[in-house]
Amino acid sequence: MTGAIDIGGTKIAVGVVDRNGRVLAKTECATDPGRGFDRAMQRIVELLAQSASRAGVKLTGIGIGCTGPVDPLTGLVGNVSFLPGWEGGNPVGVLSAEFKVPAAMENDADAAALGEAVWGAGRGKARLICVTIGTGIGGGVILEGRIYRGVAQCHPEIGHHIIDPLGPLCSCGARGCWESLACGPSMVEWIKTNAPTNYNLQDLTAREICAQAQQGDEWAKRAVEREGYYLGVGLANLVTMFAPDALVLGGSVMKSASLFLARIHEVIRHNCRLVPYERVEISVASLGPDVGLIGAAQVWHHRFSPSGGPTS
Ligand SMILES: [Zn+2]
């Protein structure tokens, strides 16, 4: 039984996950990063003890997914914009000492990719890229069943590969990153910039745009078309560079996947003629809202139990 912790910028989910990826108990609290790392760890310890007790299990390990950058081998939190003041904190050290079991941590996008690779839509795929499209674009790359790491064990930032060097300024400082063109908020920005002044922009969100598009709203349909195009361009680049067995697409924007998939396939067909793109399976993530917890649990299996890894 694995304790699972999913640390995001706004909330922390805590739960217990069995060896088949089923969530047996879960709870959550606000991250409230301003109250500091130590207070957050206290809350996590309390919630995890409660979850284990409610599930009636003894924990054999703890897996953590954390918004990054984090160092997966030392367990240290890096300079994370969503977690100001947490740099240098070590959730792995705190939790393994407290519960006296081994713990492991990965960037949350890698955790989600591992979860989908073993227990979700990417099951059985040795070369898999899991992309999460929401307020940003993140992703995890699994090659031959293992998380791909870069220099200094870093997590590749696929959301920040540049699609249009003259495009909008991205939060990372570069221009025209995939994220800046194709994340959920970029759909809202595009409508704000392009729709006529009498267009109702109040409380406009990516979800609302998708709903409006389904009802035939012309500007929403154009925003959806543009979104599908830019998603397609970024995914086509991944297909050309990695030629993976599968792409798994998750995140809040992909709740409306049916609006985008045809356009995505069209762009990939057009852009990826040098690799067998037609054999790259494209599917929607299947673990649902618990993907963070389930992925965090798989982080533990991936680190400590080779038989639990994606190639099993
Ligand atoms: Zn960027």
Side-chain angles (χ1 to χ4, degrees):
M1 295 298 164
T2 312
I5 321 282
D6 178 27
I7 303 173
T10 53
K11 69 165 192 170
I12 297 172
V14 176
V16 174
V17 177
D18 76 7
R19 62 195 304 274
N20 298 314
R22 278 192 303 254
V23 177
L24 302 183
K26 64 174 175 177
T27 183
E28 64 181 52
C29 64
T31 308
D32 214 351
R35 291 173 70 192
F37 174 77
D38 292 341
R39 292 286 293 277
M41 288 299 118
Q42 275 173 14
R43 271 176 289 147
I44 289 173
V45 167
E46 285 162 19
L47 293 178
L48 185 53
Q50 283 168 15
S51 293
S53 151
R54 207 171 332 125
V57 300
K58 190 168 164 17
L59 299 179
T60 46
I62 297 171
I64 307 161
C66 183
T67 180
V70 298
D71 185 323
L73 298 191
T74 61
L76 290 171
V77 176
N79 181 9
V80 182
S81 54
F82 298 122
L83 303 173
W86 286 34
E87 187 171 2
N90 192 325
V92 171
V94 172
L95 295 172
S96 60
E98 191 69 39
F99 289 90
K100 301 188 171 46
V101 294
M105 179 166 73
E106 299 286 352
N107 176 293
D108 54 357
D110 282 335
L114 282 171
E116 291 289 345
V118 179
W119 291 318
R123 194 185 301 213
K125 307 293 183 193
R127 293 161 292 262
L128 168 75
I129 303 178
C130 185
V131 184
T132 304
I133 305 127
T135 51
I137 297 183
V141 180
I142 309 274
L143 293 178
E144 310 305 341
R146 308 299 297 174
I147 290 178
Y148 169 78
R149 301 185 200 283
V151 63
Q153 310 301 326
C154 78
H155 161 82
E157 291 288 350
I158 61 174
H160 296 272
H161 83 275
I162 290 173
I163 292 205
D164 178 0
L166 302 176
L169 190 61
C170 180
S171 59
C172 74
R175 275 197 182 277
C177 294
W178 190 24
E179 172 172 302
S180 73
L181 288 160
C183 67
S186 77
M187 294 174 73
V188 178
E189 273 310 305
W190 183 83
I191 286 207
K192 280 184 178 169
T193 310
N194 291 281
T197 47
N198 62 355
Y199 192 84
N200 183 10
L201 297 170
Q202 204 166 10
D203 300 327
L204 195 63
T205 61
R207 182 196 296 198
E208 179 63 23
I209 292 170
C210 291
Q212 292 287 339
Q214 269 161 335
Q215 287 167 18
D217 179 88
E218 205 47 48
W219 282 94
K221 279 164 64 181
R222 285 167 76 171
V224 161
E225 201 286 328
R226 174 193 165 278
E227 173 72 8
Y229 169 73
Y230 280 117
L231 286 176
V233 172
L235 291 169
N237 289 345
L238 296 178
V239 169
T240 295
M241 288 188 280
F242 291 91
D245 297 308
L247 296 171
V248 173
L249 312 180
S252 56
V253 170
M254 277 300 123
K255 286 180 181 161
S256 305
S258 61
L259 293 177
F260 306 114
L261 284 173
R263 187 73 172 110
I264 286 170
H265 280 284
E266 187 184 354
V267 177
I268 289 175
R269 271 198 305 276
H270 187 267
N271 287 14
C272 302
R273 294 174 194 180
L274 300 182
V275 296
Y277 64 85
E278 68 281 4
R279 297 183 62 181
V280 179
E281 189 179 297
I282 299 176
S283 54
V284 178
S286 66
L287 296 180
D290 288 333
V291 62
L293 278 183
I294 297 169
Q298 183 53 225
V299 164
W300 186 85
H301 290 280
H302 184 258
R303 187 77 57 86
F304 295 114
S305 158
S307 64
T311 50
S312 66

